[in-house]
Amino acid sequence: MSYLNVTQLNKSYGPTSIFQDIEFSAEEGELVTLLGPSGCGKSTLLRCIAGLTSVDSGRILLKGEDIVPVTPQKRAIGMVFQSYALFPNMTVERNVAFGLKMQKLPAAEIQQRVAEALELVELKDFARRYPHQLSGGQCQRVALARSLVTRPRLLLLDEPLSALDARIRRHLRDQIRRIQQELNLTTLFVTHDQEEALTMSDRIVLMNKGKIVQSGNAEALYTQP
Ligand code: ADP
Ligand code: ADP
């Protein structure tokens, strides 16, 4: 049994099947990349794991526990989107604190955890700024901090680098990888970019047209015919 086990997962929207019989796993602390062309179902799969959309059938086990019937809040899964999805009228620290306030944690603990999360993404000097005063890369680091501060059991990254220009993309990629390893955080990273997949994964799961076509480490995937 792995840390995360996905078995026989199926999802349709009306008559349209989005993915079929998805099976893969992730070990604790592993960064697994879901790589595939745009439209193959990667985002929908992440949203199903996060509990943001329903599945038709199949199981998702996190630490041996079925999470399909569990609410998104109780799943304790963090998700970062391509579009950052920050609250524009809140400062950086309020954005990061938001999830903890919803959980009604004591103010002192919120403050400490927000400071730690901002330190981790190297943004502690930006705590009082608003999203429109930040670059795209900085916004994405705020979004990452907002996920990390809740101490998720699993981190889902949905094309987090795709909206950024090449130089920033490289920097953020390295930063995400460093943090993920430092925290030993099991992570699913979705991308359509082969180079990203090759440079930051422990393992790659290749998706095409709603199916998993292959999986393995980068070396195994690209040295075999
Ligand atoms: P990817 O992340 O690989 O680009 P998506 O999961 O976003 O793929 O989309 C897979 C397919 O599902 C696409 O054809 C998309 O139009 C469709 N789709 C995504 N979300 C919905 C939805 N809520 N309702 C209907 N179709 C959807
Ligand atoms: P669920 O999968 O739990 O029903 P969703 O929020 O994923 O919830 O979708 C609700 C409905 O909204 C879908 O069944 C679909 O018909 C519609 N919908 C949402 N997003 C899209 C999209 N990108 N394209 C087409 N239809 C969509």
Side-chain angles (χ1 to χ4, degrees):
M1 176 71 64
S2 300
Y3 187 83
L4 172 73
N5 283 84
V6 174
T7 55
Q8 291 288 318
L9 210 63
N10 288 276
K11 172 71 178 173
S12 307
Y13 281 116
T16 311
S17 173
I18 306 299
F19 54 72
Q20 308 92 40
D21 298 331
I22 295 293
E23 301 224 0
F24 70 95
S25 60
E27 303 305 325
E28 184 160 19
E30 203 178 22
L31 189 154
V32 175
T33 296
L34 301 172
L35 172 66
S38 182
C40 76
K42 306 181 298 297
S43 282
T44 306
L45 177 56
L46 277 199
R47 289 166 55 78
C48 288
I49 295 169
L52 301 176
T53 189
S54 58
V55 298
D56 301 335
S57 61
R59 298 176 74 184
I60 304 170
L61 288 107
L62 187 57
K63 295 172 99 171
E65 171 208 353
D66 259 302
I67 60 166
V68 167
V70 176
T71 64
Q73 289 74 24
K74 291 200 174 139
R75 287 185 192 199
I77 293 174
M79 189 154 172
V80 173
F81 303 89
Q82 180 178 336
S83 60
Y84 327 133
L86 300 178
F87 301 111
N89 58 340
M90 288 186 201
T91 60
V92 166
E93 62 187 354
R94 281 173 180 271
N95 264 283
V96 175
F98 186 78
L100 303 182
K101 284 192 178 151
M102 298 293 281
Q103 292 175 23
K104 302 203 188 322
L105 292 189
E109 184 177 349
I110 293 178
Q111 201 175 10
Q112 194 199 333
R113 279 169 65 168
V114 168
E116 280 168 16
L118 288 178
E119 175 92 49
L120 212 49
V121 299
E122 297 168 350
L123 278 179
K124 69 177 195 311
D125 297 337
F126 293 76
R128 298 289 163 86
R129 301 223 192 161
Y130 286 86
H132 75 268
Q133 299 171 308
L134 304 179
S135 69
Q138 288 167 337
C139 283
Q140 196 55 294
R141 282 148 63 196
V142 176
L144 181 63
R146 191 177 54 180
S147 284
L148 296 176
V149 80
T150 62
R151 300 186 181 154
R153 300 188 291 170
L154 180 68
L155 180 65
L156 307 177
L157 304 171
D158 189 359
E159 304 254 7
L161 309 174
S162 299
L164 307 171
D165 63 47
R167 190 174 49 85
I168 293 166
R169 206 182 303 153
R170 191 183 198 87
H171 176 74
L172 189 58
R173 186 181 77 195
D174 294 345
Q175 191 180 37
I176 289 172
R177 182 62 159 153
R178 175 182 59 73
I179 292 170
Q180 177 267 329
Q181 288 182 324
E182 206 172 294
L183 300 176
N184 198 39
L185 184 56
T186 312
T187 301
L188 301 180
F189 171 65
V190 155
T191 184
H192 63 266
D193 184 321
Q194 184 174 313
E195 198 218 320
E196 270 178 20
L198 290 175
T199 50
M200 78 177 256
S201 321
D202 293 311
R203 208 146 46 79
I204 300 174
V205 173
L206 282 180
M207 258 184 98
N208 194 23
K209 295 181 182 164
K211 285 190 186 320
I212 288 177
V213 290
Q214 225 182 326
S215 77
N217 63 23
E219 206 171 72
L221 277 185
Y222 290 97
T223 54
Q224 285 167 9

